[in-house]
Amino acid sequence: MPLIAQNHFQFILEIGAIIFALVTFTINLVPISLSIITFLSLFLSVAFTLLFGADIAMLFLSFGQNEFTHPFGPIALLAIITSLASLKVMEDSGVNVKSLQKFVFILLIGVTVFGGLMHRSFLLLWILGLFIGYFLISKSFRQKSFLTVKRILIFCGLGGAAFVCLELLSTITHMEVFSPLLRITRIETNSLASLKMVLHNTQLIGHTPGSAYWGAEDTGFASGYISLPMSFILLFGLPFPLFYGVLVTKKDTIDYMLPGIFGYSFDFGYLGLIGLVGFTLFTIIIGLMVLSEYRAKREKNNKKYLGKEVLLIGSLTAFIAQAIVGMFIFNRSINGTALLTFIFLASLVLAHVISLKRD
């Protein structure tokens, strides 16, 4: 049937269309008040703090771990930034939010520690996201510019200190999994061969047939290096090539060793890369334009869109941070389950443009 996806690319487009439709209907049909958004963002912040904490505890206790930071890290960032934006709105309205601010900062520190211990890529996304989030909040509420030399140095210092602490923890506990230097060494060792594979085989659409792991069975387009969660594909019984078990190391030549711009170029061609960059820029520009409209309405004492405004600040922050890290640092940050998160965040931003009429 024509609606059944024939490859990973078509499946991503179809699932993306479904997510966008669901998110658009939800935002337009469900009351999005400031109180509801504040409650949900705080609830999610607590939930992700506990989830990441349990995950790192299992790692220390050698019970295995699920690495929740890859798919859910941007959602945790969305929750924290939305909470901070909500508190800012309430503070400007004269509400005493000092106790709630302390609570949110405790959660922020918890997510930073637990998520940072699990993945260095998450730590980069988290610090970058907090920087972007505070910047958007300051601009939305016309505060003094957040971008100062002191604050930039503080963020850089926090990032450097976090990496040093992780390296010390790795040395003390003899757990190499925490070592940033080991991860960097692995990337240095494997990235050159991966880069040569991509650059020598990428075409305008897809890549040279047979150059992917599947050999002669490789069609030269959407070979599975970029895909949605494997469970989705198995659920619908789609006959796509999949990487699993020991074969994951073959996928890692692109998924882990290279930034997303190379992964998307190889699997979908240079046109696929242009499409990804264009979609990302379009979403960011639209998000900033809508955010400006919400600010104008709020300054005219229209409180109808306060919930949507803080939600958009959080969504846009998480989307930008995930896009930067995924496209220019780690492909895995916008692949697999994380790609599902990326599509969801984009939908949360773009859904604000569409308004459904009610009878």
Side-chain angles (χ1 to χ4, degrees):
M1 295 179 64
L3 293 180
I4 297 178
Q6 302 300 308
N7 53 49
H8 288 280
F9 181 71
Q10 292 180 14
F11 190 51
I12 291 170
L13 292 181
E14 290 184 3
I15 293 297
I18 293 172
I19 292 175
F20 178 75
L22 289 175
V23 171
T24 300
F25 274 99
T26 301
I27 286 183
N28 280 276
L29 297 180
V30 176
I32 307 293
S33 65
L34 180 63
S35 58
I36 291 176
I37 293 300
T38 303
F39 171 78
L40 288 177
S41 61
L42 289 172
F43 175 80
L44 287 175
S45 298
V46 173
F48 283 119
T49 303
L50 296 176
L51 186 66
F52 293 168
D55 204 21
I56 200 65
M58 288 191 288
L59 178 61
F60 274 108
L61 297 173
S62 300
F63 286 157
Q65 71 282 343
N66 295 281
E67 301 186 354
F68 292 120
T69 51
H70 273 313
F72 299 126
I75 305 296
L77 180 61
L78 158 67
I80 286 290
I81 296 300
T82 301
S83 298
L84 292 172
S86 297
L87 294 181
K88 181 59 184 172
V89 172
M90 289 189 286
E91 185 180 30
D92 286 354
S93 301
V95 180
N96 186 350
V97 295
K98 289 184 178 180
S99 57
L100 271 178
Q101 282 180 334
K102 292 178 181 178
F103 179 62
V104 171
F105 280 122
I106 291 172
L107 295 176
L108 190 155
I109 293 171
V111 174
T112 303
V113 173
F114 299 145
L117 285 173
M118 183 57 67
H119 277 297
R120 266 53 65 201
S121 59
F122 170 79
L123 192 59
L124 287 171
L125 178 141
W126 188 250
I127 294 174
L128 176 64
L130 291 177
F131 188 86
I132 295 171
Y134 274 110
F135 176 75
L136 288 179
I137 291 173
S138 67
K139 288 299 182 182
S140 294
F141 294 92
R142 298 190 186 278
Q143 296 176 323
K144 186 178 178 180
S145 178
F146 179 79
L147 287 174
T148 64
V149 174
K150 181 180 178 180
R151 285 171 175 169
I152 292 174
L153 291 176
I154 289 175
F155 271 88
C156 292
L158 288 174
F163 278 85
V164 170
C165 290
L166 284 172
E167 191 62 36
L168 289 175
L169 179 63
S170 172
T171 303
I172 294 172
T173 61
H174 302 289
M175 298 178 69
E176 292 184 337
V177 68
F178 294 124
S179 173
L181 293 180
L182 176 64
R183 297 299 177 98
I184 293 173
T185 301
R186 286 181 60 192
I187 292 174
E188 288 177 343
T189 303
N190 297 281
S191 61
L192 185 58
S194 304
L195 191 58
K196 287 181 178 179
M197 173 186 174
V198 171
L199 295 180
H200 291 169
N201 294 289
T202 301
Q203 299 178 349
L204 188 62
I205 299 177
H207 50 266
T208 304
S211 61
Y213 171 74
W214 309 106
E217 297 180 3
D218 175 31
T219 61
F221 181 79
S223 298
Y225 287 95
I226 304 298
S227 66
L228 289 176
M230 186 169 65
S231 58
F232 267 43
I233 299 168
L234 295 176
L235 175 66
F236 293 103
L238 300 172
F240 301 161
L242 294 171
F243 292 88
Y244 56 91
V246 295
L247 303 184
V248 170
T249 57
K250 302 296 181 181
K251 186 178 183 181
D252 276 351
T253 58
I254 289 179
D255 191 36
Y256 185 79
M257 303 303 170
L258 294 178
I261 55 175
F262 296 105
Y264 279 78
S265 294
F266 181 80
D267 223 13
F268 305 135
Y270 291 118
L271 286 181
L273 172 61
I274 293 173
L276 173 65
V277 174
F279 171 76
T280 302
L281 290 176
F282 174 77
T283 302
I284 294 173
I285 292 171
I286 291 296
L288 292 174
M289 291 174 61
V290 175
L291 192 58
S292 178
E293 291 292 326
Y294 284 157
R295 181 181 64 185
K297 292 180 183 296
R298 171 168 45 82
E299 291 177 344
K300 292 179 181 178
N301 206 30
N302 185 346
K303 299 181 179 181
K304 180 180 178 181
Y305 300 97
L306 291 179
K308 288 186 176 182
E309 183 180 7
V310 298
L311 177 61
L312 180 56
I313 291 174
S315 304
L316 190 57
T317 296
F319 179 81
I320 294 173
Q322 186 181 9
I324 292 174
V325 172
M327 292 172 64
F328 301 108
I329 301 177
F330 289 106
N331 181 62
R332 187 169 293 180
S333 296
I334 51 171
N335 197 11
T337 307
L339 175 56
L340 203 62
T341 299
F342 188 66
I343 295 172
F344 174 70
L345 290 174
S347 300
L348 276 178
V349 174
L350 295 175
H352 290 265
V353 178
I354 299 176
S355 179
L356 302 179
K357 293 183 179 180
R358 304 185 195 180
D359 294 331

